[in-house]
Amino acid sequence: MTQTTPAKARSPRIRLGMVGGGQGAFIGAVHRIAARLDDQYDLVAGCFSSSPEKSAASAAELGVPRAYDDFAQMALREARRRDGIEAVAIVTPNHMHAPVARQFLKRGIHVICDKPLTATLTEAKQLARAAGESDALFVLTHNYTGYPMIRQARAMIAAGDLGEIRLVQVEYAQDWLAEPLEASGNKQASWRTDPAKSGLGGAIGDIGTHAFNLAGFVTGLELDALAADLQSFVPGRQVDDNAHVMLRYQGGARGMLWCSQVASGCENALRLRVYGTKAGIEWSQEDPNYLWVTPLGQPRYRLSRGGAGTGPDAARVTRVPAGHPEGYLEGFANIYAEAARAILARREGAAPDPAITYPGLKEGLEGVAFVDACVRSSRRNGAWVKLAL
Amino acid sequence: MTQTTPAKARSPRIRLGMVGGGQGAFIGAVHRIAARLDDQYDLVAGCFSSSPEKSAASAAELGVPRAYDDFAQMALREARRRDGIEAVAIVTPNHMHAPVARQFLKRGIHVICDKPLTATLTEAKQLARAAGESDALFVLTHNYTGYPMIRQARAMIAAGDLGEIRLVQVEYAQDWLAEPLEASGNKQASWRTDPAKSGLGGAIGDIGTHAFNLAGFVTGLELDALAADLQSFVPGRQVDDNAHVMLRYQGGARGMLWCSQVASGCENALRLRVYGTKAGIEWSQEDPNYLWVTPLGQPRYRLSRGGAGTGPDAARVTRVPAGHPEGYLEGFANIYAEAARAILARREGAAPDPAITYPGLKEGLEGVAFVDACVRSSRRNGAWVKLAL
Amino acid sequence: MTQTTPAKARSPRIRLGMVGGGQGAFIGAVHRIAARLDDQYDLVAGCFSSSPEKSAASAAELGVPRAYDDFAQMALREARRRDGIEAVAIVTPNHMHAPVARQFLKRGIHVICDKPLTATLTEAKQLARAAGESDALFVLTHNYTGYPMIRQARAMIAAGDLGEIRLVQVEYAQDWLAEPLEASGNKQASWRTDPAKSGLGGAIGDIGTHAFNLAGFVTGLELDALAADLQSFVPGRQVDDNAHVMLRYQGGARGMLWCSQVASGCENALRLRVYGTKAGIEWSQEDPNYLWVTPLGQPRYRLSRGGAGTGPDAARVTRVPAGHPEGYLEGFANIYAEAARAILARREGAAPDPAITYPGLKEGLEGVAFVDACVRSSRRNGAWVKLAL
Amino acid sequence: MTQTTPAKARSPRIRLGMVGGGQGAFIGAVHRIAARLDDQYDLVAGCFSSSPEKSAASAAELGVPRAYDDFAQMALREARRRDGIEAVAIVTPNHMHAPVARQFLKRGIHVICDKPLTATLTEAKQLARAAGESDALFVLTHNYTGYPMIRQARAMIAAGDLGEIRLVQVEYAQDWLAEPLEASGNKQASWRTDPAKSGLGGAIGDIGTHAFNLAGFVTGLELDALAADLQSFVPGRQVDDNAHVMLRYQGGARGMLWCSQVASGCENALRLRVYGTKAGIEWSQEDPNYLWVTPLGQPRYRLSRGGAGTGPDAARVTRVPAGHPEGYLEGFANIYAEAARAILARREGAAPDPAITYPGLKEGLEGVAFVDACVRSSRRNGAWVKLAL
């Protein structure tokens, strides 16, 4: 009656660790939900803080069996365990991404790292070299690439549905730093406005990288040059809180990128519009289940996630039918699901499904180079510069 | 270094079973994700099918250790195990809700049951008595009550922000049964259009109950009488696929309810509007993160989940900040999270937090009585009838 | 150099009179703008008030050369003038429509009358007979039928693009009578809530007739029966201020109609949705330049006034290109433009263009019969009744 | 009974002439409707074409009594008539604005001129001087400044409701030149892409000037410098069809401007967003009756034209109540209405109402200087440049 040894049992869950993400953190909790949503991971170890007490307290709250206060020790010990973690999620401030990632990569533990890749371009290049020497996978959580309708847009552009791409308009507007929040002791604000922790970019690093990445992910275009005008509107702020960037892509497409953390009344308004010779697409992160398609000379139509007219690239990252909205967490979870497919293939020695799609080191390097280029251009009064890759 | 016995350890996860939800099912998978999202449940047993092979295969795919092919046996055996399930999710067709639930209730196992409560009003009343004789909790997944902005609307109305309620406009439009899908062998369509399995209501039972429940949940109004006009547009269909209902609430408010499964081009368009003497609210399930408030004589404004102007009732079922959309699965998971809070309090012998809110037997009875009344009214050519509670 | 006698000179403008519409009126000014927009009318006479001083003052303000204080005298004298008016616009309260119209009809002067046709069904039938005995044209300003995208929807349905019509959802929500405005001396509110002037219907007569007319205009369906639940929410009000109506059309389509003047926060929210076996359409008067088309099994698309995919029925009432919004006045003016085409054909003894489309006596009679039926049904507790035509 | 000499008669209509706007033209018809809407003008003379036959034929069709084929003759003769025109509307291609306007200005005839002011900056400055020497008024139809909600936004910013302005995002996207329409003989496309007629700017002159003007009108900000990247995507096109511009305003605000005539699927998508330290505003020309206000730390709300929360600046250019949409023609007509108020004051020798607001020479000069600066900057690879005023 009770069946305990089925024939086609599922693979055991991936043993996951986490560095960062202790009490008070935002993105750590998001990563944990994302890892849990599709039941492919077990979070079994964590270095949630460099304080032993805090790390242990977080582990206890989360029901995580193994807590560490030193990420290098964690990498070492977990690598030695028979049941040690197979992958680690890095959710620290930016300046810690590289040192943490390198410890796990060199022990063959897959890395799922929050964006941007690193705080500086030098670190990014060093990390890329380290990753190249490791067998482990490297996944960067540019989570907005996980949205099904973004996958749909990418597939349509790759298929030529928009014709030749002419224009990219991408923007990411928030308002949570419209006032000097860092002066009030807010942790999220403090490290993000501290160049030693966030890197030289403020808004351009924190959210501009998402916008730049998303435009490239959807269009497949490579940047030729950019001209940037960065501002720090809030007095005393050490990094930009608003950025205006003009873009020239290889092949002739042009674009504009705006990101802001001082746009009063904007929440998390990431929006992408792309126009080609045949059609355009329009998408907003705050309304992510829909993709507008705007053909030249025909009525505009709305593709609905899970609905008529959407293709396999969207379907493979879709859980529920059209009209049942998916959101931010589902999109984030799609990065974890894609990573799980790659990790399980690696575990089984199988070739990964070529459809698996996630951002990695290339995108991470480009993102940090983008921030670097924006800062350089702005310091040169908006001169056109190229990515220093 | 490794901390394995922390002071304030979290409660162990609730051991959950499932009846129904095997391969090919839709709502079973939704319940599993909902149970997993907040990490409060472990799915450890299932009767996914009455076929041993199918049940076992589903268990294997899902990584569920104990599979059954007989729900009564499952209830019996699990109740005897020291590590047996504490709660069961029932995700079968409607006519099986009552017999399954009664087996678990009588063994003291909490029940989380899909809606509508039962296929018939007689069954519903029997189940209500059975539940009354059990110590176990009974949770009905009218999942749309889990949306944060629905909680916000409810709180505002309870606080008098809308004044005296005059009008309720609620509608739920789909199109997936616009053609005779049941004739093509589609399982979801077949049982839903078979009165022996779904009950006498078609659309009115499947989705009309959601609409009716949502209106009551948000306004707190009790129905006085209704007049219904049910239709079966698709030739040969045995149950209604469209329903028009006029509502009179106790205290003088009036309303209209429309539900349809033949509204071409509609996906899952549940929409609620309530107008009082001071203000109105408008909400759409397909855009669930926003609640419009429409005060008399002032500009209308938009409350954003997690944003300014929202209160504690919404906040307690919110996971991510404003601008990071939550969706259907998160709303569904909120029912599971509320149930978990109640179950854990019960486990620990504590009084439950009075803020815990989930639909239960009362709402289930009202829903089945609503379907019964609509069918009675329609058969009497739209005469006003009362709920036969 | 100066060319004063061109070959193909335009027809002289239609000489127009007006009854009602003096100082403080709303709809009179709308009619005047509508008549002016396309340069087809000259307003040359008016009985703006039964007070000689007030009528003269209005005429002076408006630059209208001939002012009257007695509409029967006006009809008589204008009919005798060689340059007398060819058409009259009637913009009085409802109870005056019939007596005024009959005076002008019997003198062969075309009538452009505001809706509803009359205050009572008896008057409506008498007026219909009077009109039948006159050579003059009778135009009823159900102005919402003048919107280009309404014409587009009508043409699509007539062409079978929606398949067989199953469902009509029409609503018209306002809030301007949410409080007892008539008690404050507001003229618009006073006559509209006085059965002696407005007829037995309140909201159902003032705006419900628009909603009912629009649904019939677009779908071409004829009503079989209706069941109505009328309310007067504001204490002391003598007429309904909210109405819920279930509709059964000949041929099997069903519908719901909601109209309200107490829906807090609603401005002029006339909205029509129609669903057939192949597709649906959705339109909102507050966003009138767009028509959503929702095909079964295909993505929904948006037709834009003047844009791709729209046909000749919309084009002939369109002035400016897509993206340049037209509004309420343009839609209203389209009724005047259609009337002008008919009047000019009559003047020239030519057969009118068969494409000319405007509401007339048939629609007026149906509207008053609709109000009558709603009142009868509601008094019989929502029994199904037929129009008493 | 008939009252023909009232005490407070309205002023006689302003006698208006028109240059340009013959058969096949677009904007001429718009100006005529705009002039007619509020009944303040009589169009009595026109030089609709330099061909006598064509000019006469247009006049005949329009019912305009006096037709000319030479604008200088028209100015001369009309100036000599006792009943000659008081104002002239100039609706020719850009390169003719200056020579035509100068003829009428020097005869003391008020000028209402389409935008941009002229094709070149040199012409613009000469015209400004000529206007300075004339007593006549000069009105430039930057018609989008006539929208009531634009007036509302301007008033709110002037009152400090947004705090200190930080950011301006303005865009104007069309697609009608996405293909080489000028090669097909389309008149509108031909002159707009011919530098001899349109000036050096293509899209930046035709619609970029509207966007730039609107931003300045609403914010009151003066430009410090700009950096532009102009493109001609369509092969063979002699002027830009897309422009990206970064803006620096005096006082520290920054902005971006995008205009395009090749954005596939965009109709007339002029959109303005302004963010200050306290709040933002968002407005779209294609949905012009609403203005979003986005306060920092409070829910965003929607102001509705004619509705609660709007002030006198919007009210004075509003004709119908909230919920009755006004559109492009009404906005355009507001420029004519403002001009009429100024002209009538001048006719009567009265001081004009200080609330009268319309764009004139200053705005025209700035617009042409803006185009000139964009072209200069783009030729210098996006260097920051100032307006050459």
Side-chain angles (χ1 to χ4, degrees):
Chain A
M1 195 80 52
T2 304
Q3 193 87 16
T4 49
T5 53
K8 298 191 302 177
R10 54 161 288 163
S11 298
R13 291 179 189 82
I14 297 162
R15 297 181 301 281
L16 180 68
M18 178 170 275
V19 178
Q23 293 161 323
F26 160 58
I27 206 67
V30 169
H31 279 249
R32 290 190 293 267
I33 296 176
R36 200 155 58 229
L37 197 75
D38 295 306
D39 208 19
Q40 297 294 334
Y41 297 86
D42 270 332
L43 181 59
V44 294
C47 175
F48 298 106
S49 167
S50 55
S51 144
E53 294 72 26
K54 289 185 179 171
S55 189
S58 288
E61 278 186 10
L62 296 168
V64 171
R66 302 190 293 274
Y68 299 88
D69 54 16
D70 178 315
F71 61 82
Q73 281 288 318
M74 176 176 164
L76 179 68
R77 294 200 185 189
E78 289 292 324
R80 287 180 181 167
R81 291 179 73 110
R82 186 183 284 254
D83 65 349
I85 59 171
E86 300 169 85
V88 68
I90 302 176
V91 292
T92 63
N94 302 347
H95 68 301
M96 294 302 295
H97 290 175
V100 175
R102 291 168 71 179
Q103 288 296 324
F104 288 88
L105 287 172
K106 78 178 181 190
R107 312 242 175 239
I109 294 171
H110 307 302
V111 170
I112 301 174
C113 184
D114 209 70
K115 49 47 59 182
L117 182 64
T118 59
T120 69
L121 187 52
T122 304
E123 283 177 337
K125 292 181 175 178
Q126 289 168 343
L127 179 53
R129 277 193 295 275
E133 294 162 5
S134 168
D135 283 340
L137 299 170
F138 191 94
V139 178
L140 192 73
T141 54
H142 269 308
N143 56 292
Y144 299 113
T145 65
Y147 274 116
M149 298 317 278
I150 285 295
R151 300 290 178 107
Q152 174 70 21
R154 172 183 163 99
M156 290 174 69
I157 289 176
D161 293 0
L162 271 63
E164 190 180 347
I165 301 305
R166 287 174 167 169
L167 291 170
V168 174
Q169 300 287 341
V170 63
E171 60 186 46
Y172 198 153
Q174 302 179 327
D175 74 357
W176 70 288
L177 292 176
E179 295 184 337
L181 193 59
E182 62 267 42
S184 72
N186 178 292
K187 281 196 179 184
Q188 301 292 328
S190 295
W191 75 256
R192 278 184 174 81
T193 55
D194 177 355
K197 292 182 178 168
S198 73
L200 293 179
I204 196 74
D206 194 32
I207 58 176
T209 47
H210 270 311
F212 179 70
N213 172 260
L214 194 72
F217 181 80
V218 166
T219 62
L221 294 173
E222 299 283 341
L223 191 75
D224 179 54
L226 62 79
D229 193 29
L230 307 189
Q231 300 88 32
S232 298
F233 280 108
V234 172
R237 185 158 287 161
Q238 298 183 65
V239 292
D240 65 273
D241 48 27
N242 188 83
H244 294 162
V245 190
M246 300 196 296
L247 306 169
R248 291 178 182 164
Y249 286 101
Q250 295 173 23
R254 306 258 173 128
M256 293 181 102
L257 182 152
W258 170 46
C259 68
S260 184
Q261 294 180 317
V262 299
S264 292
C266 295
E267 295 177 340
N268 199 41
L270 171 60
R271 183 182 181 214
L272 177 66
R273 294 175 289 175
V274 179
Y275 301 100
T277 48
K278 292 186 190 170
I281 58 99
E282 302 179 353
W283 180 84
S284 165
Q285 192 276 145
E286 296 185 331
D287 190 23
N289 293 278
Y290 302 104
L291 177 70
W292 283 90
V293 186
T294 66
L296 185 64
Q298 293 172 42
R300 57 172 54 202
Y301 59 95
R302 197 190 76 173
L303 292 173
S304 176
R305 186 196 48 72
T310 55
D313 295 81
R316 66 190 296 278
V317 289
T318 288
R319 292 169 192 80
V320 283
H324 299 71
E326 296 190 1
Y328 174 82
L329 292 170
E330 288 85 345
F332 213 111
N334 287 334
I335 306 295
Y336 268 85
E338 293 283 51
R341 292 181 191 111
I343 293 170
L344 291 175
R346 185 67 64 94
R347 186 203 272 173
E348 294 161 13
D353 179 349
I356 296 171
T357 303
Y358 57 78
L361 274 166
K362 174 178 183 294
E363 290 78 9
L365 265 170
E366 286 173 351
V368 181
F370 168 75
V371 174
D372 167 80
C374 287
V375 171
R376 281 189 290 123
S377 172
S378 191
R379 288 179 177 171
R380 293 174 51 203
N381 199 25
W384 289 95
V385 302
K386 292 178 182 286
L387 302 191
L389 285 171
Chain B
M1 194 89 42
T2 304
Q3 194 89 12
T4 48
T5 51
K8 299 190 299 176
R10 55 162 286 162
S11 297
R13 293 181 187 81
I14 297 162
R15 297 180 304 279
L16 180 69
M18 177 169 277
V19 177
Q23 291 162 326
F26 160 58
I27 206 66
V30 168
H31 278 251
R32 289 190 293 267
I33 296 176
R36 200 157 56 229
L37 198 73
D38 295 306
D39 207 19
Q40 297 293 335
Y41 297 87
D42 269 332
L43 180 61
V44 295
C47 176
F48 298 106
S49 167
S50 56
S51 146
E53 293 74 25
K54 288 184 180 172
S55 189
S58 288
E61 276 186 11
L62 297 168
V64 171
R66 300 190 296 275
Y68 298 88
D69 54 18
D70 179 316
F71 61 82
Q73 281 286 319
M74 176 175 163
L76 179 67
R77 294 199 185 189
E78 290 290 325
R80 286 180 181 166
R81 292 178 72 110
R82 186 183 285 254
D83 66 347
I85 60 172
E86 301 169 82
V88 68
I90 302 176
V91 292
T92 64
N94 302 348
H95 68 303
M96 295 302 295
H97 290 178
V100 174
R102 293 168 67 179
Q103 287 296 325
F104 289 87
L105 287 172
K106 77 177 179 189
R107 311 243 176 238
I109 294 171
H110 308 301
V111 169
I112 302 173
C113 183
D114 209 71
K115 46 51 60 185
L117 184 63
T118 59
T120 70
L121 187 51
T122 305
E123 282 177 336
K125 291 181 175 178
Q126 291 170 342
L127 179 53
R129 277 193 294 274
E133 295 162 5
S134 168
D135 283 341
L137 299 169
F138 191 93
V139 178
L140 192 73
T141 53
H142 269 310
N143 56 290
Y144 299 114
T145 65
Y147 274 116
M149 298 318 278
I150 285 296
R151 302 289 178 106
Q152 174 70 22
R154 174 182 162 98
M156 291 174 69
I157 289 176
D161 292 358
L162 270 63
E164 190 181 347
I165 301 303
R166 287 173 166 170
L167 291 169
V168 174
Q169 300 288 340
V170 63
E171 62 186 43
Y172 198 153
Q174 300 179 330
D175 74 356
W176 69 290
L177 292 175
E179 296 184 338
L181 193 59
E182 60 270 41
S184 72
N186 178 293
K187 281 195 180 183
Q188 299 293 328
S190 295
W191 78 254
R192 278 185 175 82
T193 57
D194 177 356
K197 293 183 177 164
S198 72
L200 292 179
I204 196 72
D206 194 33
I207 58 176
T209 47
H210 270 311
F212 179 71
N213 171 261
L214 194 71
F217 181 80
V218 166
T219 62
L221 294 172
E222 298 284 340
L223 192 74
D224 179 54
L226 63 80
D229 193 28
L230 307 189
Q231 301 88 31
S232 297
F233 279 110
V234 172
R237 185 160 286 163
Q238 298 184 64
V239 293
D240 66 271
D241 49 25
N242 189 82
H244 295 164
V245 191
M246 300 195 297
L247 306 168
R248 291 179 183 163
Y249 287 101
Q250 295 173 24
R254 306 258 173 128
M256 293 180 102
L257 182 151
W258 169 47
C259 67
S260 186
Q261 294 180 318
V262 300
S264 292
C266 294
E267 294 177 340
N268 198 43
L270 171 60
R271 185 181 179 213
L272 176 66
R273 294 174 290 174
V274 179
Y275 301 100
T277 48
K278 291 187 192 169
I281 59 98
E282 302 178 352
W283 180 84
S284 166
Q285 191 273 149
E286 296 184 332
D287 190 23
N289 291 279
Y290 303 104
L291 178 71
W292 284 89
V293 186
T294 65
L296 185 64
Q298 293 173 39
R300 58 173 52 202
Y301 60 94
R302 198 190 75 174
L303 291 173
S304 176
R305 186 196 47 73
T310 57
D313 295 82
R316 65 191 295 280
V317 289
T318 288
R319 290 168 192 82
V320 282
H324 300 71
E326 295 192 0
Y328 174 83
L329 293 170
E330 288 85 345
F332 213 111
N334 287 336
I335 306 297
Y336 268 85
E338 293 284 49
R341 292 182 191 109
I343 292 170
L344 292 175
R346 185 67 64 95
R347 185 203 272 172
E348 292 161 15
D353 179 349
I356 295 172
T357 302
Y358 56 79
L361 274 165
K362 175 178 182 296
E363 290 78 9
L365 264 170
E366 287 173 352
V368 180
F370 168 76
V371 174
D372 169 79
C374 287
V375 171
R376 282 189 291 121
S377 172
S378 192
R379 287 180 178 170
R380 293 175 52 203
N381 200 25
W384 289 96
V385 303
K386 291 178 183 287
L387 301 192
L389 284 172
Chain C
M1 193 86 47
T2 303
Q3 193 90 14
T4 48
T5 53
K8 300 188 301 176
R10 55 160 288 163
S11 298
R13 293 180 188 82
I14 297 162
R15 297 181 303 279
L16 180 70
M18 178 169 277
V19 177
Q23 291 162 326
F26 160 58
I27 205 67
V30 168
H31 279 251
R32 288 190 294 267
I33 296 176
R36 200 157 57 229
L37 199 73
D38 296 306
D39 206 19
Q40 296 295 333
Y41 297 86
D42 269 332
L43 181 61
V44 294
C47 175
F48 299 108
S49 168
S50 55
S51 145
E53 294 73 25
K54 287 185 180 171
S55 189
S58 288
E61 277 186 11
L62 296 168
V64 172
R66 302 190 292 275
Y68 298 88
D69 54 17
D70 179 315
F71 60 84
Q73 281 288 318
M74 175 176 166
L76 179 67
R77 296 198 184 189
E78 290 290 324
R80 289 181 182 166
R81 291 179 72 109
R82 187 183 283 257
D83 66 346
I85 59 171
E86 302 169 82
V88 68
I90 303 176
V91 293
T92 64
N94 302 346
H95 68 302
M96 294 303 293
H97 290 178
V100 174
R102 292 169 68 179
Q103 289 296 325
F104 289 86
L105 287 173
K106 76 177 180 191
R107 313 247 175 232
I109 293 171
H110 307 301
V111 170
I112 301 174
C113 183
D114 209 70
K115 44 51 58 186
L117 182 63
T118 59
T120 70
L121 188 50
T122 304
E123 283 176 336
K125 291 181 178 180
Q126 290 169 341
L127 179 54
R129 276 192 295 275
E133 295 161 6
S134 167
D135 282 339
L137 299 170
F138 191 94
V139 178
L140 192 73
T141 54
H142 271 309
N143 57 290
Y144 299 114
T145 64
Y147 274 118
M149 299 317 278
I150 285 296
R151 302 289 177 107
Q152 173 70 22
R154 173 182 162 99
M156 291 174 68
I157 288 176
D161 292 359
L162 271 62
E164 191 180 347
I165 301 304
R166 286 172 166 171
L167 292 169
V168 174
Q169 300 289 339
V170 64
E171 61 187 44
Y172 198 151
Q174 300 179 330
D175 74 357
W176 69 290
L177 292 175
E179 297 184 336
L181 192 58
E182 60 269 41
S184 72
N186 178 293
K187 282 196 179 182
Q188 300 294 328
S190 295
W191 75 255
R192 279 185 174 80
T193 55
D194 177 355
K197 294 184 178 164
S198 73
L200 293 179
I204 197 71
D206 194 33
I207 57 175
T209 47
H210 270 311
F212 179 70
N213 171 261
L214 194 71
F217 181 81
V218 167
T219 63
L221 294 173
E222 298 284 340
L223 192 74
D224 179 54
L226 63 78
D229 194 28
L230 307 189
Q231 300 88 33
S232 298
F233 279 110
V234 171
R237 185 160 288 163
Q238 299 183 64
V239 293
D240 65 273
D241 49 25
N242 189 81
H244 294 162
V245 191
M246 300 196 297
L247 307 168
R248 291 179 183 163
Y249 287 101
Q250 295 172 24
R254 306 258 173 128
M256 294 181 101
L257 182 151
W258 168 48
C259 68
S260 186
Q261 294 179 316
V262 299
S264 292
C266 294
E267 295 177 340
N268 198 42
L270 170 60
R271 185 183 179 212
L272 176 67
R273 294 174 290 175
V274 179
Y275 301 100
T277 49
K278 292 186 190 169
I281 58 98
E282 302 178 354
W283 181 83
S284 165
Q285 191 274 146
E286 295 184 332
D287 190 23
N289 291 279
Y290 302 105
L291 177 71
W292 283 91
V293 186
T294 66
L296 186 65
Q298 293 171 40
R300 59 172 51 203
Y301 60 94
R302 198 190 75 173
L303 291 174
S304 176
R305 187 196 45 73
T310 55
D313 294 82
R316 67 192 293 282
V317 288
T318 287
R319 291 168 192 80
V320 282
H324 300 70
E326 295 190 1
Y328 173 83
L329 292 170
E330 288 86 345
F332 213 111
N334 287 334
I335 305 297
Y336 269 85
E338 292 284 49
R341 291 181 192 112
I343 292 169
L344 291 175
R346 186 67 64 94
R347 183 202 275 173
E348 295 161 13
D353 179 349
I356 294 172
T357 302
Y358 56 79
L361 274 166
K362 175 178 182 294
E363 290 77 9
L365 266 171
E366 286 173 353
V368 181
F370 169 75
V371 174
D372 169 80
C374 287
V375 171
R376 283 189 289 123
S377 171
S378 191
R379 288 179 177 172
R380 294 174 52 202
N381 200 25
W384 289 95
V385 301
K386 291 179 184 286
L387 301 192
L389 284 172
Chain D
M1 196 81 52
T2 303
Q3 194 88 17
T4 47
T5 51
K8 298 189 303 175
R10 53 162 288 164
S11 296
R13 292 180 189 84
I14 296 162
R15 298 181 303 281
L16 180 67
M18 177 168 279
V19 177
Q23 292 163 325
F26 160 59
I27 206 67
V30 168
H31 278 251
R32 289 190 293 266
I33 296 176
R36 199 156 57 229
L37 198 75
D38 295 307
D39 208 19
Q40 297 294 334
Y41 297 86
D42 270 331
L43 181 60
V44 295
C47 176
F48 299 107
S49 168
S50 55
S51 145
E53 293 73 27
K54 289 186 180 171
S55 189
S58 288
E61 278 185 12
L62 297 167
V64 171
R66 301 190 294 277
Y68 298 88
D69 53 18
D70 179 315
F71 61 83
Q73 281 289 319
M74 175 176 165
L76 178 67
R77 295 197 183 188
E78 291 291 323
R80 288 179 180 167
R81 291 179 72 110
R82 186 184 284 257
D83 64 348
I85 60 173
E86 301 169 84
V88 68
I90 302 176
V91 293
T92 63
N94 303 348
H95 68 302
M96 295 301 295
H97 290 177
V100 175
R102 293 168 70 179
Q103 288 296 325
F104 289 86
L105 288 172
K106 77 178 178 190
R107 312 237 174 243
I109 294 171
H110 307 302
V111 170
I112 302 174
C113 183
D114 210 71
K115 45 51 60 185
L117 183 63
T118 58
T120 70
L121 188 51
T122 303
E123 283 177 337
K125 291 182 176 178
Q126 289 169 341
L127 178 55
R129 274 192 296 275
E133 294 162 5
S134 167
D135 282 340
L137 299 170
F138 192 94
V139 178
L140 192 72
T141 55
H142 269 309
N143 57 291
Y144 300 113
T145 64
Y147 274 116
M149 299 316 278
I150 285 296
R151 301 289 179 107
Q152 174 71 21
R154 173 182 162 100
M156 292 175 69
I157 288 176
D161 292 359
L162 271 63
E164 190 181 347
I165 302 304
R166 287 172 167 172
L167 291 169
V168 174
Q169 300 287 339
V170 64
E171 62 188 42
Y172 199 154
Q174 302 179 329
D175 73 357
W176 69 289
L177 292 176
E179 296 184 338
L181 192 59
E182 61 268 41
S184 73
N186 179 293
K187 280 195 179 183
Q188 300 293 327
S190 294
W191 76 255
R192 278 185 175 81
T193 56
D194 176 357
K197 293 182 178 167
S198 72
L200 292 180
I204 196 73
D206 193 33
I207 57 176
T209 47
H210 270 312
F212 179 70
N213 172 259
L214 194 72
F217 181 80
V218 167
T219 63
L221 293 173
E222 299 283 341
L223 191 75
D224 180 54
L226 62 80
D229 194 27
L230 307 189
Q231 300 87 33
S232 298
F233 279 110
V234 172
R237 184 159 287 162
Q238 297 183 65
V239 293
D240 66 273
D241 47 27
N242 188 83
H244 294 162
V245 190
M246 300 196 297
L247 306 168
R248 290 179 182 163
Y249 287 100
Q250 295 172 25
R254 305 259 175 129
M256 292 180 102
L257 181 152
W258 170 46
C259 68
S260 185
Q261 295 180 317
V262 299
S264 292
C266 293
E267 294 177 341
N268 199 41
L270 170 61
R271 186 182 179 213
L272 176 66
R273 296 175 288 176
V274 179
Y275 301 99
T277 48
K278 291 186 191 170
I281 57 97
E282 302 178 355
W283 181 83
S284 164
Q285 191 275 146
E286 295 184 332
D287 190 23
N289 292 279
Y290 302 104
L291 177 71
W292 283 90
V293 185
T294 66
L296 186 65
Q298 294 173 40
R300 58 171 54 202
Y301 60 94
R302 198 189 75 172
L303 291 174
S304 176
R305 186 195 46 74
T310 56
D313 295 83
R316 66 191 295 279
V317 287
T318 288
R319 290 168 193 80
V320 283
H324 299 70
E326 295 191 0
Y328 174 82
L329 292 170
E330 287 86 345
F332 213 111
N334 287 335
I335 305 296
Y336 268 85
E338 294 283 51
R341 292 183 191 110
I343 292 170
L344 292 174
R346 184 68 62 95
R347 185 202 273 173
E348 294 161 12
D353 179 348
I356 295 172
T357 303
Y358 56 79
L361 273 166
K362 174 178 183 292
E363 290 78 9
L365 265 172
E366 285 173 353
V368 180
F370 168 75
V371 174
D372 168 80
C374 287
V375 171
R376 282 190 289 121
S377 172
S378 191
R379 288 180 177 170
R380 292 174 52 203
N381 200 25
W384 289 95
V385 301
K386 292 177 183 286
L387 301 191
L389 285 171

